[in-house]
Amino acid sequence: QVQLVESGGGLVQPGGSLRLSCTASGSNFRINTMGWYRQAPGKERELVATITSGGDTNYADSAKGRFTISRDNAKNTESLQMNSLKPEDTAVYYCNVRYTRPYSVGIYGVWGQGTLVTVSS
C-alpha cells in the first residue's frame, strides 16, 4: 500500500511564500501523476497543480504564475512552491498520487493527510 506524508504548511503573511512537500512510500508501485489539491472552509476540494512522470505540468488559473510544482522521481517526492500568497489561498492542501502496480490493471490513487496553509496578516 502506498502512503503519503506531507509537510510544509503554516501561517504566512500576504505576499509571502511557502513550500509544501509530499513523499510517497510503499512497495511495488510506479508513480504516474502527482498533484496538489486544496479545500477551503465551506468549499469543495479543487485542483491546484499536477505533474506527470515526464514533467508535464497543469495549473489552476488561480495558481498560474505564482505556484510551481516539481517532482523528484528518484525520491518519489513532489513539491509545491507557493509565492505571492493571498488570503484566498488559505486552505488545507492535499497531496495526491496516481500509481500503477506490476501485474495489475488500472491506476490507483491515494491522498495525503492534508496540511493547513493560512495566509493572514
Side-chain angles (χ1 to χ4, degrees):
Q1 185 163 346
V2 176
Q3 294 183 327
L4 304 179
V5 176
E6 303 177 21
S7 62
L11 173 64
V12 63
Q13 293 186 341
S17 298
L18 277 178
R19 185 177 181 87
L20 307 182
S21 296
C22 175
T23 300
S25 62
S27 60
N28 297 322
F29 68 100
R30 180 176 180 178
I31 295 176
N32 188 339
T33 301
M34 307 183 84
W36 290 95
Y37 293 73
R38 69 185 183 187
Q39 188 167 16
K43 295 187 177 181
E44 294 186 353
R45 191 172 299 187
E46 63 178 9
L47 168 73
V48 177
T50 61
I51 183 167
T52 68
S53 56
D56 293 327
T57 58
N58 178 52
Y59 293 93
D61 287 343
S62 58
K64 289 179 181 176
R66 299 188 299 127
F67 295 1
T68 302
I69 189 171
S70 60
R71 64 188 282 173
D72 184 332
N73 292 329
K75 296 181 179 180
N76 289 335
T77 62
E78 64 166 329
S79 297
L80 184 69
Q81 177 66 42
M82 304 185 293
N83 299 327
S84 302
L85 283 161
K86 306 174 181 180
E88 51 263 43
D89 294 317
T90 296
V92 177
Y93 284 70
Y94 295 91
C95 171
N96 176 262
V97 166
R98 294 169 62 82
Y99 62 96
T100 59
R101 288 194 177 280
Y103 314 112
S104 179
V105 176
I107 298 177
Y108 300 85
V110 61
W111 292 93
Q113 80 279 9
T115 185
L116 178 63
V117 171
T118 303
V119 184
S120 175
S121 55

